[in-house]
């Protein structure tokens, strides 16, 4: 892909317009979708599409330079100038906007990116919606002026230095069976939203994370991705299409076991956040450890993220 245009949304957020070098039409997408940027040395990072889904000539992403990150955002800011080329995979969507009469959108910082096209879609559908958008300062909040100008009172901007933290307790105090809540931002914000929505109808809250979901309690996020949890011994993985049987040892992921056996699989983050390695499950009980699937999707047991999730029993049969 070609970086056709670049602009500063804030001092720390850059927007990129990506186009096919030959001008070909790009695949369609819906609000909530993201793409993978494959950077130098095979570094892969996921960024939400925040442009207009009707525009098939370009994709827009916005990237926050994270000073304490792992280098991906710095690479984007420093090397992807206008005219540069970058490999892009996708789009994929694990944060899709479902039809509803009312929406409450909650965004913290760069978490506004997947929410931005959702507000436009909700407005076009004639839905009743409100956006709560918080950030450190007004100047740090990308697209804040654009949203306020377009939608007026439907957008509540809450810069922390002026008004404190988002008051989720007030907005989520009473469950509303007709409202869907979409939340994206830093982990503390997501945790509060999840806690406040426990009394809401199942499936009312949808979240998207930038980092693996910590395990309940005080568990830390491990270097191998996902929250540190004790592996429940070895188990067998059967590849349904070939009939091959592999043993996943404690401390070894399904993904790495497949790779070691020469089985080609797509993956990216290895943290259970991007959804690239999602695999259909034919048989077996999955020990879900990802940060992508909803509770309903986990309960169905139809798919798993093989980079972090394991098996609760002796055997898994996968559609591979």
């Amino acid at each position: 892909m070609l970086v056709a245009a670049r602009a500063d949304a804030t001092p720390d957020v850059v927007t990129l317009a990506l186009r096919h070098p030959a001008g070909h039409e790009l695949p369609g997408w819906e609000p909530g979708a993201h793409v993978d940027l494959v950077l130098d040395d095979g570094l892969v990072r996921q960024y939400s599409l925040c442009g207009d889904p009707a525009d098939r000539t370009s994709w827009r992403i916005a990237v926050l330079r994270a000073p304490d990150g792992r280098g991906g955002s710095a690479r984007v800011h420093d090397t992807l100038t206008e005219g540069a080329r970058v490999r892009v995979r996708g789009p994929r969507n694990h944060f899709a906007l479902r039809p509803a009469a009312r929406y409450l959108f909650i965004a913290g910082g760069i978490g506004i990116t997947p929410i931005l096209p959702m507000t436009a879609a909700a407005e076009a559908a004639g839905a009743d919606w409100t956006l709560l958008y918080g950030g450190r300062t007004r100047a740090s909040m990308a697209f804040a002026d654009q949203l306020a100008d377009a939608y007026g009172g439907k957008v509540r901007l809450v810069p922390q230095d002026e008004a404190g933290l988002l008051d989720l307790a007030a907005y989520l105090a009473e469950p509303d069976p007709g409202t869907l809540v979409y939340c994206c931002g830093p982990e503390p914000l997501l945790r509060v939203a999840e806690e406040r929505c426990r009394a809401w109808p199942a499936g009312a809250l949808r979240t998207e994370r930038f980092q693996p979901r910590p395990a309940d309690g005080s568990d830390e996020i491990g270097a191998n991705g996902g929250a540190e949890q004790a592996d429940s011994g070895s188990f067998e993985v059967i590849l349904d299409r070939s009939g091959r049987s592999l043993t996943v040892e404690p401390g070894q992921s399904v993904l790495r076991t497949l790779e070691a056996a020469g089985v080609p699989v797509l993956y990216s983050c290895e943290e259970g956040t991007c959804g690239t390695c999602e695999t259909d499950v034919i048989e077996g009980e999955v020990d879900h450890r990802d940060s992508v699937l909803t509770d309903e999707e986990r309960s169905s047991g139809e798919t798993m993220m093989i980079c972090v999730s394991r098996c609760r029993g002796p055997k898994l049969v996968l559609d591979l």
Side-chain angles (χ1 to χ4, degrees):
M1 296 283 280
L2 177 72
V3 179
R6 171 176 166 139
D8 292 328
T10 76
D12 296 319
V13 175
V14 64
T15 63
L16 304 179
L18 306 173
R19 294 186 178 179
H20 192 283
H24 296 163
E25 187 175 83
L26 300 177
W29 60 279
E30 295 181 350
H34 69 265
V35 294
D36 298 342
L37 261 58
V38 184
L39 305 170
D40 296 341
D41 302 324
L43 186 68
V44 181
R45 293 293 182 265
Q46 291 75 40
Y47 298 105
S48 298
L49 292 171
C50 59
D52 181 1
D55 181 6
R56 301 291 292 274
T57 66
S58 69
W59 289 336
R60 183 173 70 160
I61 61 172
V63 181
L64 169 69
R65 181 189 286 271
D68 55 350
R70 296 169 297 168
S73 65
R75 196 82 57 88
V76 171
H77 275 250
D78 295 341
T79 66
L80 293 188
T81 56
E82 190 168 327
R85 297 202 179 199
V86 61
R87 183 181 170 201
V88 181
R89 297 192 308 224
R92 289 188 303 279
N93 198 342
H94 287 279
F95 194 46
L97 185 67
R98 299 181 307 190
R102 291 184 298 280
Y103 297 99
L104 176 59
F105 300 114
I106 304 171
I110 198 61
I112 191 61
T113 50
I115 301 295
L116 192 63
M118 290 185 178
T119 60
E123 182 73 7
D128 180 15
W129 64 272
T130 299
L131 167 64
L132 306 179
Y133 179 15
R136 298 188 315 279
T137 66
R138 192 174 296 270
S140 73
M141 298 167 65
F143 313 116
D145 291 341
Q146 171 188 330
L147 286 161
D149 291 344
Y151 304 120
K154 293 182 179 181
V155 177
R156 316 286 171 84
L157 301 178
V158 187
Q160 186 175 346
D161 63 338
E162 298 176 21
L165 298 174
L166 289 172
D167 187 6
L168 298 191
Y171 284 94
L172 299 173
E174 296 296 328
D176 184 350
T179 298
L180 293 183
V181 182
Y182 282 78
C183 182
C184 184
E187 185 62 31
L189 175 69
L190 300 179
R191 282 285 190 166
V192 172
E194 290 172 337
E195 180 63 30
R196 295 294 178 181
C197 284
R198 291 191 191 281
W200 284 55
L205 173 66
R206 295 297 303 270
T207 62
E208 184 167 65
R209 282 175 158 80
F210 302 132
Q211 295 180 332
R213 179 199 304 267
D216 291 338
S218 59
D219 293 342
E220 300 291 335
I221 295 174
N224 61 336
E228 292 287 4
Q229 303 179 52
D231 290 343
S232 53
S234 63
F235 56 92
E236 182 184 15
V237 168
I238 297 176
L239 312 184
D240 185 67
R241 299 181 202 173
S242 65
R244 293 183 66 183
S245 176
L246 305 172
T247 299
V248 180
E249 300 290 352
Q252 185 85 344
S253 68
V254 175
L255 171 63
R256 288 303 183 191
T257 301
L258 293 173
E259 262 203 326
V263 180
V265 287
L266 284 177
Y267 65 92
S268 177
C269 71
E270 294 190 74
E271 295 180 326
T273 59
C274 73
T276 305
C277 69
E278 184 173 12
T279 301
D280 290 339
V281 177
I282 296 174
E283 181 183 336
E285 184 179 1
V286 180
D287 177 9
H288 292 288
R289 303 184 181 188
D290 65 275
S291 303
V292 177
L293 298 177
T294 65
D295 290 341
E296 292 80 6
E297 290 167 337
R298 290 182 172 203
S299 296
S300 75
E302 294 178 355
T303 68
M304 68 181 291
M305 304 303 159
I306 59 174
C307 66
V308 292
S309 297
R310 298 180 66 81
C311 180
R312 293 189 182 276
K315 181 178 71 173
L316 277 176
V317 181
L318 303 180
D319 186 20
L320 290 172

